[in-house]
Amino acid sequence: MSAPDIDTQVLVVGAGPVGLMLAGELALGGADVVVLERRTGPLTESRASTLHARTMELLDQRGLLEELGTPPAGGPGHFGGTRLDLTTDSPYSGQWKVPQVRTEELLEGWATRLGARVVKGHRLTDLRTAPHTVEATAEAEPGPGGAASALRVRAAYVVGCDGESSTVRELAGFAFPGRDATRELLRADVADVEVPDRRFERHPGGLAISARGPGGVTRVMVHEYGAGVGREPGPPSFARVADTWRRVTGDDIGGGTPLWLNSFGDALRQAAQYRRGRILLAGDAAHHQMPVGGQALNLGLQDAANLGWKLAAEVRGTADPGLLDSYHAERHPAGRRVLDNIAAQALLLLGGSGTEQLRTLFGELLREPRVRAHLAGTIAGVDVRYAAGPGAHPLVGARVPYLRFGAGTDAAAGPGSTFAALRAGRGVLVDLSGRPNPLRAAAEPWRDGRVDVVTATPEPGGAAPEFTSALLRPDGHVAWADGTVPELETALRRWFGPAARR
């Protein structure tokens, strides 16, 4: 067999936000990674543009927020069209508006600076697995002579980040149970129209949403109660969007200039497994859901943060057996919970007059502080807690609390907070005890590029720390806190592999 055109450790298929986030995480973890993308250039429209608090925390943990700048706040949140205050305990509480094209630009720049290679203009057509490798074939767009050229890539692992119609998922034979859409929301970006802003405005015949954005472009979204899913291939016609808008609202937008047309339905599917041997799925390739409130994008970015450091450790040969399987074990339940949340929202959002009593009751429940906080944490992604063993500290499995460090922090480490301490993409043992500590000595066999040790003092006047010592995973979740030396060593072996020989 002839040599492949590209040899790499990990092939990521899809250069959307999830694929690029994963590529950066892999490269930061020391893996050689290639990203394959069928598009030849950037998006010409912005699809997913809402970033939630947990995603902003992840960007901070990788030092990307300075480059991004402070994005505009995304306004009040909602649950199924009912206003919801998204205040949480995160320093990035609320939601933030970042056009998808900007998110992709940011993540691609970061990933390529770390050494990831992005190959555009190639469509995946075949996957063949062998005991130790996967070989992928992709076709380039036809050249001047009319013939398409093929590209062969050999990798130790392939990750499908290629969206809800994932070619990787289909070629690898992943089961994708669930249901197809029965209702849909039509969406269009339209220039040269004057319509009032509408926020989940319910009419006798349907639901209407409109907002004027930068440059005078208005995004309209409309659902007609009782209407099924359109049968035309591709996006809906502007005539269909305008006709539906007129029937629901009485307004005429037919004289506007459509810049982008799209629709999304209430389909709900999730891959039965996120991993089949050397092939894995992340983002919309792993779960297909209605993109309500930006949750789909944020869920996928959090998949990438969970998978990247684990797969990098696997290809470097430092992973403990079972580490890579923990990706499915942790992210499948997290995805299922979000999908259930979105299914409930779809019922409230797209249901007709028969749901009004339910919406009224739900609005009353949202005024209860504990209900509001619970749903805000779910949508923001800050309440994700991975399974911990019996008797573990309450923080184990949860995301690390944001804690600023004061002047007593180890000057050699340099980080100013728990988030900044994670920027190297390694594990971190944070010790706030302020005294000689046998825990730091216990971590020494892992201080070979896998785990950093930070001795720190909390910033005066800040919130009281929730731990004295804690082991942080590279994705910002707590692996161990305030336990014994043997318990710490067990956590170090589980998440960072065997101790180095002295």
Side-chain angles (χ1 to χ4, degrees):
M1 182 179 291
S2 60
D5 300 286
I6 297 175
D7 242 323
T8 187
Q9 290 177 316
V10 182
L11 172 64
V12 175
V13 181
V18 176
L20 293 170
M21 179 81 175
L22 178 60
E25 292 290 318
L26 286 163
L28 186 65
D32 184 64
V33 56
V34 170
V35 183
L36 194 66
E37 169 57 47
R38 66 184 304 170
R39 286 181 287 146
T40 57
L43 286 172
T44 56
E45 75 284 332
S46 186
R47 300 180 180 181
S49 60
T50 299
L51 300 184
H52 288 142
R54 181 58 185 148
T55 298
M56 294 289 285
E57 291 179 357
L58 292 173
L59 295 178
D60 187 358
Q61 289 168 12
R62 295 301 181 254
L64 293 171
L65 286 187
E66 288 185 8
E67 184 179 348
L68 179 64
T70 302
H78 74 93
F79 189 95
T82 299
R83 188 182 180 114
L84 175 66
D85 176 4
L86 291 178
T87 300
T88 66
D89 64 349
S90 171
Y92 305 106
S93 198
Q95 56 184 356
W96 308 87
K97 300 303 286 186
V98 181
Q100 183 172 328
V101 65
R102 176 64 183 120
T103 302
E104 291 184 4
E105 178 186 56
L106 174 76
L107 294 174
E108 182 173 350
W110 173 60
T112 54
R113 287 194 301 272
L114 290 169
R117 293 171 283 170
V118 180
V119 180
K120 296 185 178 181
H122 287 77
R123 177 176 58 89
L124 181 71
T125 57
D126 190 44
L127 283 176
R128 296 182 183 274
T129 59
H132 302 292
T133 59
V134 182
E135 188 168 290
T137 304
E139 288 188 1
E141 295 297 322
S149 59
L151 174 73
R152 288 174 51 240
V153 183
R154 183 170 58 201
Y157 289 90
V158 172
V159 186
C161 300
D162 49 342
E164 60 193 43
S165 300
S166 170
T167 302
V168 172
R169 187 183 66 231
E170 180 180 350
L171 291 174
F174 282 83
F176 200 45
R179 59 173 171 78
D180 293 331
T182 58
R183 294 170 291 192
E184 68 179 348
L185 200 63
L186 306 178
R187 178 167 55 175
D189 286 348
V190 187
D192 309 317
V193 293
E194 294 290 338
V195 296
D197 282 359
R198 292 177 167 91
R199 180 175 171 81
F200 302 107
E201 191 173 274
R202 299 179 72 82
H203 294 258
L207 173 76
I209 305 163
S210 57
R212 194 173 183 86
V217 175
T218 298
R219 173 162 292 183
V220 299
M221 292 186 278
V222 62
H223 168 71
E224 188 171 15
Y225 298 143
V229 177
R231 297 181 180 277
E232 68 241 37
S237 67
F238 183 54
R240 182 178 168 221
V241 175
D243 288 346
T244 305
W245 185 265
R246 186 186 66 254
R247 287 194 299 272
V248 170
T249 69
D251 291 343
D252 185 7
I253 61 171
T257 303
L259 304 178
W260 178 56
L261 296 158
N262 178 256
S263 67
F264 53 88
D266 61 348
L268 201 71
R269 292 186 177 276
Q270 185 180 26
Q273 293 289 326
Y274 283 12
R275 178 189 179 194
R276 292 195 69 192
R278 294 185 172 273
I279 303 177
L280 302 100
L281 303 175
D284 286 350
H287 37 77
H288 181 192
Q289 61 285 304
M290 191 173 180
V292 177
Q295 283 181 268
L297 169 65
N298 290 270
L299 179 64
L301 291 172
Q302 291 156 36
D303 289 344
N306 184 286
L307 174 59
W309 65 278
K310 297 174 180 177
L311 186 51
E314 184 72 24
V315 299
R316 289 198 324 264
T318 61
D320 191 63
L323 177 66
L324 192 53
D325 285 332
S326 73
Y327 168 62
H328 169 85
E330 293 183 337
R331 292 307 299 169
H332 194 275
R336 183 72 255 167
R337 186 163 179 254
V338 171
L339 264 62
D340 290 345
N341 168 295
I342 288 174
Q345 292 195 62
L347 289 173
L348 292 168
L349 191 64
L350 304 182
S353 59
T355 63
E356 290 308 316
Q357 293 87 351
L358 179 61
R359 292 176 59 80
T360 299
L361 175 61
F362 203 82
E364 294 173 358
L365 289 173
L366 285 181
R367 291 195 286 272
E368 293 292 328
R370 289 180 63 184
V371 174
R372 185 216 63 79
H374 172 79
L375 291 177
T378 299
I379 289 174
V382 299
D383 71 340
V384 173
R385 181 184 296 270
Y386 301 133
H393 188 281
L395 280 178
V396 174
R399 81 193 211 287
V400 59
Y402 181 74
L403 178 67
R404 290 193 60 82
F405 299 148
T409 299
D410 181 0
S417 69
T418 47
F419 288 3
L422 292 161
R423 289 183 180 170
R426 296 188 284 267
V428 180
L429 177 64
V430 179
D431 179 21
L432 306 177
S433 67
R435 60 181 185 274
N437 196 325
L439 298 169
R440 297 199 293 269
E444 279 299 320
W446 286 268
R447 295 187 68 178
D448 56 356
R450 290 177 287 170
V451 175
D452 295 330
V453 174
V454 173
T455 58
T457 301
E459 184 176 67
E466 298 179 49
F467 62 87
T468 301
S469 299
L471 177 65
L472 313 184
R473 302 179 353 175
D475 58 358
H477 282 258
V478 179
W480 167 94
D482 291 345
T484 65
V485 167
E487 290 168 344
L488 172 61
E489 291 173 335
T490 297
L492 285 162
R493 284 191 297 271
R494 178 185 179 190
W495 297 112
F496 303 104
R501 294 181 179 179
R502 300 185 180 182

